[in-house]
Amino acid sequence: MSLSLLRKPTAYQRGISRKKKKTQPKPQPVRILRNDEEAIVAAKEAAEIFRATASERDRNRDLPYREVELLSEIGLYGATVPKEFGGAEITAVTLAEVFRILSAADPSLGQIPQNHVAFVESVRDGTQTQQEFYFRRFLKGERIGNALSEATNTKGMADYKTRLTKVKGAYRINGEKAYCTGALFAQWIPIFTLDEQNRLWMAYVRSDSPGLTIHNDWHSMGQRTTASGTITIDNVYVTEHELFPRFDLKRPQVGHSWGQIPHAAIDLGIAEEALKDAIHYVKTEARPWHGSGLDRLSDEPLIIQKVGEFQQAVDAARLFLRRGAELTDIARANTTEETSLAASFAVAQARIATDHAALLVTNGLFELCGTKSTFPKFNFDRHWRNARTHTLHDPIRWKTQFLGNYVLNGTRPPKNALI
Ligand SMILES: Cc1cc2nc3c(=O)[nH]c(=O)nc-3n(C[C@H](O)[C@H](O)[C@H](O)COP(=O)(O)OP(=O)(O)OC[C@H]3O[C@@H](n4cnc5c(N)ncnc54)[C@H](O)[C@@H]3O)c2cc1C
C-alpha cells in the first residue's frame, strides 16, 4: 500500500523542476508520520529519488541540502519522537529498516540523520518543559546535527577540551569539534562540553547562534557528502533551558544500542547496493574469460561461487541487524542491566557482520566484474570508499574484543565503552 507521500510536489521536486537549484529551499509544511508502516513507505519513496543522483553527488561532492529537506518534509525527522508528544515513536526494527533503505540508495543520506535519531533519545532525559520544546520542533522537521568528538590537541575523540563557564545569568561555551556529521544541515547542534567541575553537559544550541561556525571542510575519500567537518565554538552563550546533564545519568541505558543501529544499517545498505550493481554488471556488461570455454560470465562456476558467498554475508548481516534491533526493542520496553547488555552485544554483532559484508562485497565487486568495472563512468569505487570510510566510525575490533571477553571470562564491557 503506497501512501503517496510525495503526491503533492515537495520543495525538493519543485527545486529540480527549477533546474539544478542548489540553495536551501524554503521549508514546507511537514508531514507527521503516524506509525512504522508510514515510515517505511516514506523511506522507500525518498530512496527512489536519492538513488538516481547519488553517484553524481558523490562525484561532485555536492551537498544534499534539498534531499535532507525532503527527509524533513516527508516526516522522517519526526519519526522517533515519543507517542506522548505526538510522534510515531518507531521501533528499533523499523529504524534499522529505514536506515538500510536510505543507505542503499545513498549512504551519505543514510548517515546524515544518524545523529538526529540518537540525540532525539537524549531529550527524553530532559525536563518536561525541555521535552515539549524540542520534540515539538523535531515534529516540525527541525534537525539535529552534533558537536561531540574532538580532534585538536586531544588524546582521543572524547578527551573534551570544550569548556562551559558560568557567567552572569548564563553560560559560555568555547571549543573546537570535529566529525560533526549533519551539522551543516541542522537547526540544532548538541555541544558536548565539560564544566568547571569536569562534569559533562550537552548544550542544545541553534546552528545560527552567534559564535558558532560550522565549517564545510570534510574532505574524506568516502561518505563525501555527509559534511562531517569541524565546528568552532567561540563564546557561544546558553541558558539552563538548553543544558542537559550527561553525568549521573539513570542506568542502565539503551540509547547506545539505538544509536549504533543506523551505523550497522548504513553498512548493510552499502553491501546490498554493491551486490546489486555487481550482479547487474555481470549479467549485462561483463565478458566471459576466454579460457573458460563459456559464453556468459554468469555461467562461470567461480563467479557463481563468489556471488553465493557475497549473498550469504549480506543475508547474515541482515539477520544480525534484525536480531540487534529486536533485542533493542525488548530492552527499551523493559530496561534492566541484562536486557540492555543483551541489546548492546547483539547490536555490536550486527556491526561486526555488516562491516564484514560491506568490505567483502565492495572490494569483491571488482573481482567479479573485471577491469572495465574500474572505469570512472560506473563510479563503483564509491561503494568501497563509502564502506571503507564509514566502517572506521568506531573500531570493530573492540566490539569483537568485548564479546570475546564476556563469553570467555564473563567480563562486562565498561559502562562508557562504545560497544
Ligand atoms: C564518515 C564519518 C562520520 C563521522 N561522524 C561523526 C559524528 O558526527 N560525530 C562523532 O562524534 N563522531 C563521528 N565520527 C567518528 C569519528 O571519526 C571518530 O570519533 C574519530 O575518528 C576517532 O578519532 P581517532 O582517535 O580514530 O583519530 P583520527 O580520526 O584518526 O584522527 C584525528 C585527527 O584527525 C584530524 N582531523 C579530524 N578532522 C579533520 C578535519 N575536518 N580537517 C583536518 N583534520 C582533521 C585532526 O588532526 C585529529 O588530530 C565519524 C566517522 C566517520 C568515518
Side-chain angles (χ1 to χ4, degrees):
M1 183 180 66
S2 168
L3 294 172
S4 293
L5 286 169
L6 307 178
R7 203 180 298 132
K8 280 191 198 152
T10 61
Y12 176 87
Q13 288 166 325
R14 284 189 294 278
I16 34 182
S17 68
R18 280 201 303 266
K19 268 202 176 159
K20 287 210 155 184
K21 188 174 182 304
K22 287 190 180 154
T23 52
Q24 207 159 353
K26 247 174 71 188
Q28 296 298 307
V30 162
R31 274 167 208 273
I32 296 189
L33 299 175
R34 285 166 302 182
N35 52 44
D36 290 51
E37 191 197 7
E38 289 189 1
I40 303 273
V41 172
K44 282 184 178 161
E45 293 189 353
E48 212 167 298
I49 295 171
F50 297 166
R51 180 172 278 107
T53 42
S55 178
E56 278 313 291
R57 264 193 304 282
D58 165 82
R59 216 188 288 277
N60 304 326
R61 291 185 179 271
D62 218 349
L63 292 185
Y65 286 103
R66 287 187 283 111
E67 288 76 4
V68 173
E69 198 60 50
L70 175 74
L71 290 176
S72 280
E73 284 179 34
I74 63 176
L76 280 174
Y77 269 93
T80 63
V81 168
K83 286 201 166 87
E84 60 175 301
F85 293 94
E89 196 175 5
I90 58 171
T91 62
V93 168
T94 300
L95 182 80
E97 195 55 5
V98 164
F99 276 81
R100 181 191 68 78
I101 292 165
L102 294 176
S103 303
D106 183 337
S108 284
L109 278 159
Q111 192 173 355
I112 289 164
Q114 182 276 332
N115 285 297
H116 178 90
V117 298
F119 284 110
V120 168
E121 291 306 285
S122 63
V123 173
R124 290 173 186 259
D125 296 326
T127 63
Q128 184 70 15
T129 314
Q130 285 175 318
Q131 291 188 57
E132 277 163 16
F133 177 87
Y134 287 103
F135 286 144
R136 195 168 54 235
R137 274 155 184 80
F138 305 149
L139 278 182
K140 286 185 177 160
E142 293 193 5
R143 300 176 288 270
I144 312 172
N146 81 110
L148 196 162
S149 295
E150 302 204 1
T152 311
N153 301 324
T154 59
K155 280 195 237 112
M157 53 158 283
D159 176 23
Y160 301 116
K161 300 283 188 258
T162 299
R163 282 293 179 276
L164 178 76
T165 315
K166 201 165 186 346
V167 290
K168 210 174 165 207
Y171 296 85
R172 186 175 58 213
I173 312 177
N174 279 291
E176 285 176 46
K177 297 286 181 175
Y179 304 105
C180 303
T181 302
L184 268 179
F185 313 105
Q187 286 79 14
W188 296 97
I189 310 293
I191 302 176
F192 274 55
T193 175
L194 296 177
D195 68 9
E196 285 136 336
Q197 286 96 55
N198 272 332
R199 295 176 309 175
L200 184 62
W201 293 84
M202 182 175 66
Y204 259 91
V205 306
R206 282 206 67 90
S207 54
D208 55 3
S209 299
L212 190 82
T213 312
I214 305 170
H215 303 282
N216 182 5
D217 57 359
W218 178 244
H219 55 288
S220 168
M221 68 176 179
Q223 294 297 80
R224 284 179 169 181
T225 64
T226 54
S228 301
T230 58
I231 290 185
T232 311
I233 307 150
D234 183 13
N235 289 330
V236 171
Y237 288 88
V238 293
T239 64
E240 263 170 24
H241 173 67
E242 283 110 38
L243 287 175
F244 290 71
R246 300 303 292 172
F247 55 92
D248 292 341
L249 287 177
K250 289 173 263 134
R251 296 287 179 194
Q253 295 233 332
V254 196
H256 185 67
S257 307
W258 176 265
Q260 285 276 311
I261 284 172
H263 285 307
I266 291 165
D267 295 329
L268 176 58
I270 295 172
E272 285 182 352
E273 194 74 0
L275 183 54
K276 198 176 84 184
D277 279 352
I279 290 172
H280 180 74
Y281 185 99
V282 165
K283 285 179 157 176
T284 59
E285 291 271 349
R287 303 187 295 182
W289 183 241
H290 64 85
S292 69
L294 297 164
D295 289 335
R296 301 187 315 172
L297 186 67
S298 56
D299 288 330
E300 187 185 308
L302 301 171
I303 297 294
I304 292 170
Q305 183 70 17
K306 281 269 175 235
V307 170
E309 286 168 16
F310 294 172
Q311 189 65 53
Q312 170 66 17
V314 169
D315 287 347
R318 193 181 302 114
L319 288 172
F320 270 113
L321 178 55
R322 173 88 192 188
R323 178 171 164 267
E326 283 171 356
L327 288 178
T328 301
D329 279 330
I330 289 171
R332 278 159 69 83
N334 173 29
T335 308
T336 66
E337 290 287 347
E338 292 317 310
T339 58
S340 64
L341 186 67
S344 285
F345 274 129
V347 174
Q349 286 186 279
R351 287 288 316 273
I352 297 167
T354 54
D355 173 283
H356 170 67
L359 293 173
L360 179 80
V361 177
T362 58
N363 182 41
L365 174 151
F366 298 101
E367 208 182 326
L368 282 189
C369 299
T371 311
K372 193 179 74 172
S373 67
T374 64
F375 289 3
K377 68 175 177 175
F378 300 111
N379 200 11
F380 287 151
D381 53 306
R382 79 183 190 284
H383 297 312
W384 181 83
R385 287 187 281 101
N386 290 335
R388 187 58 284 175
T389 303
H390 179 260
T391 52
L392 301 177
H393 187 276
D394 50 282
I396 296 298
R397 63 183 182 276
W398 276 100
K399 299 178 195 305
T400 315
Q401 177 70 208
F402 288 133
L403 179 66
N405 208 9
Y406 183 68
V407 172
L408 187 62
N409 300 318
T411 308
R412 289 167 179 255
K415 284 263 189 288
N416 61 352
L418 203 63
I419 171 180

